[in-house]
Structure formats: C-alpha cells, structure tokens
Amino acid sequence: MRIVTWNVQRRKKMAEHWKLLNEQLNPDIIVLQEFNTDISPPPRQSEALETSIDSKDLTVVWDSVPVWGTALLSHPFPLKPLELKESTFSHDNTEEHYTGRIVAASTEFKGISIDIFGFHVPITGNWSRFNLAKMTSIAENSQISDEMIILGDFNFGDTFDKDGETDNSDYFSKILKERSLVDAYKRYNKAHSHTFRSVRNKKYKHHLDHILVSEGLSARLKNCDVFPTPWELSDHRLVFADFE
C-alpha cells in the first residue's frame, strides 16, 4: 500500500497533478490539502458534494470547503468516514487560534483495520505547535482501530536551512513520544530534507509535511521519502510512504 500527502496550493487546474500521481507514484491512498473542491474535484467525481462520495473506482472523503478543502482519496481500499470527537485540550486561548481541518476515515489493509487522519494545521505563528497537539488529540479521541496514520501539512517541523535545529523539533518529538507515533520519514532518512519552499523568499525551506504511523503499524512500514515534485505545481513537495 502506498499513501501520499500533498498540499496542492489552491490550484484551479489539477490535470498535471493527477497525471504525475498516476504515472509516477501510482498511490493507493491520497491526502490533499488546499484542495479547491469547487474547481478541481477529484477524477470520477460524484455530482453531489457530500461528506463521503463513493464512485465505481474511487472512494473520497473530503471537507468541501472551497479553496482550502482537504481530501482523502482511495482507489483499492474502501474508506468509511470517521466521526471526529472533540478533545479536552487545555491550553489558554488555544481556541482563538484554531482553524484546523481534519479529514478522517477507516480502511482495511491485509486484515488490519487502520484509521487515517489527514491534517491541515493552521498557520498561527507560535500557536501552530498547540494546534498540532490539539488535532492529534482529536484524532486519538476519534480513533476506533488499534492502528492509525496521521499525515498532512503540519505547518511546522524541521528547518532545512538550520539542519533541524529549531524549537519546534523538540515539541514535535514530545508529541511523537506521548502519542506513541513514528515519523516515517525519519525512520529511513537521517539527513534533513525539505517539503516547502517559500514563494516570497525561496531561500527559506522547511520540512512541514509528515507521515506519522502508530508503533504497531510501523512494523509494516517499508519506505518513506519526499518526491521531487516540480515547484511550479505547488510550493509543497509530495511525501509518500509504502507499507507491506
């Protein structure tokens, strides 16, 4: 099973994105952020924008917010939408800075039930770290299976230019430890990479896009890497992981 996450930067036309995904990655499950649901719906779309869309070849679970939508798509593995349950997350004024988007569904893979949570963590300065912690807590409260995958645009993480030496790195590690999650990319890559390049200042590069897996499922993790998608398609690069 191959799963990918990609922030497509509110693109109005997605033909080149779908072509790259189908011809070069051939993913089984796709999670998208900044997905323009009004203009660029997924291929083989249903006529109605609903929480869950089942077509002949594709299952889609999405947050149909124009421009800033999130989407979870699967070809061979049927998806069942998960009900998101609010978390009792105690941090002063967190709600004032929280506009996170989560799309969630469960599926079956080789007899294992897996819950998949696609994140788009809001950019709110230093509050991004608390937003990620809140969203992770929501996922944990909504989880119905023993195994889970959390992936998407976390909007903070390692800074490529500083070789990962950021305040957020310690906080990120704390979340992984507390939730018993494995950073799939770091499992297979010791060197820092980057998944985001600022349009305003191309010198600044960050690793914002992640795939996290539960410890039990990590035994099936085969590979994880950043795919060098062209910058003209998005200011984010795609991250993929393979499971066996």
Side-chain angles (χ1 to χ4, degrees):
M1 178 179 72
R2 170 167 287 179
I3 187 168
V4 306
T5 178
W6 196 8
N7 183 319
V8 291
Q9 199 187 7
R10 309 184 303 281
R11 294 299 181 183
K12 293 183 178 180
K13 296 182 179 180
M14 290 276 294
E16 290 185 68
H17 299 69
W18 297 123
K19 182 178 180 181
L20 184 149
L21 286 165
N22 292 329
E23 294 183 0
Q24 299 192 48
L25 274 300
N26 193 27
D28 300 303
I29 297 175
I30 305 169
V31 173
L32 301 175
Q33 303 86 40
E34 293 190 35
F35 181 63
N36 199 325
T37 54
D38 276 359
I39 300 174
S40 300
R44 309 185 214 54
Q45 65 164 337
S46 173
E47 291 182 0
L49 294 182
E50 300 174 348
T51 303
S52 176
I53 302 173
D54 291 305
S55 67
K56 181 178 179 181
D57 302 310
L58 191 71
T59 306
V60 184
V61 178
W62 63 3
D63 165 14
S64 57
V65 178
V67 183
W68 297 100
T70 51
L72 173 56
L73 306 90
S74 175
H75 176 57
F77 303 104
L79 301 174
K80 181 180 179 180
L82 285 175
E83 178 186 358
L84 293 176
K85 298 180 180 179
E86 185 57 52
S87 168
T88 54
F89 187 85
S90 58
H91 192 282
D92 294 342
N93 300 321
T94 300
E95 297 302 330
E96 297 178 10
H97 302 266
Y98 178 71
T99 55
R101 302 196 186 283
I102 306 176
V103 61
S106 61
T107 191
E108 295 284 333
F109 171 62
K110 291 189 175 181
I112 300 175
S113 182
I114 303 172
D115 297 333
I116 302 172
F117 297 90
F119 281 11
H120 190 190
V121 180
I123 304 174
T124 51
N126 291 332
W127 287 94
S128 293
R129 61 178 68 195
F130 301 117
N131 288 331
L132 177 61
K134 178 181 176 64
M135 292 172 76
T136 306
S137 183
I138 291 173
E140 188 176 56
N141 283 0
S142 306
Q143 183 180 359
I144 61 174
S145 305
D146 291 333
E147 307 299 344
M148 69 190 306
I149 302 174
I150 298 177
L151 70 167
D153 177 4
F154 292 179
N155 270 316
F156 85 82
D158 295 334
T159 301
F160 177 74
D161 306 283
K162 298 179 181 179
D163 197 29
E165 295 300 323
T166 69
D167 293 336
N168 287 332
S169 296
D170 291 342
Y171 196 82
F172 193 23
S173 297
K174 181 174 181 287
I175 291 175
L176 295 176
K177 184 176 180 180
E178 289 179 348
R179 306 296 180 187
S180 297
L181 296 169
V182 174
D183 186 331
Y185 179 82
K186 287 188 176 180
R187 165 72 67 88
Y188 292 97
N189 300 273
K190 293 183 179 179
H192 291 280
S193 182
H194 63 282
T195 65
F196 172 78
R197 186 182 70 173
S198 172
V199 174
R200 297 182 182 87
N201 191 333
K202 295 180 179 180
K203 293 190 304 179
Y204 295 107
K205 303 172 184 177
H206 308 276
H207 195 128
L208 303 180
D209 305 84
H210 300 270
I211 299 177
L212 312 181
V213 302
S214 54
E215 288 186 345
L217 187 60
S218 68
R220 290 185 175 269
L221 189 61
K222 184 179 176 181
N223 183 39
C224 183
D225 212 341
V226 177
F227 190 82
T229 41
W231 291 117
E232 57 265 24
L233 292 184
S234 174
D235 54 0
H236 286 254
R237 280 186 161 159
L238 177 156
V239 181
F240 70 94
D242 295 321
F243 296 84
E244 58 182 359

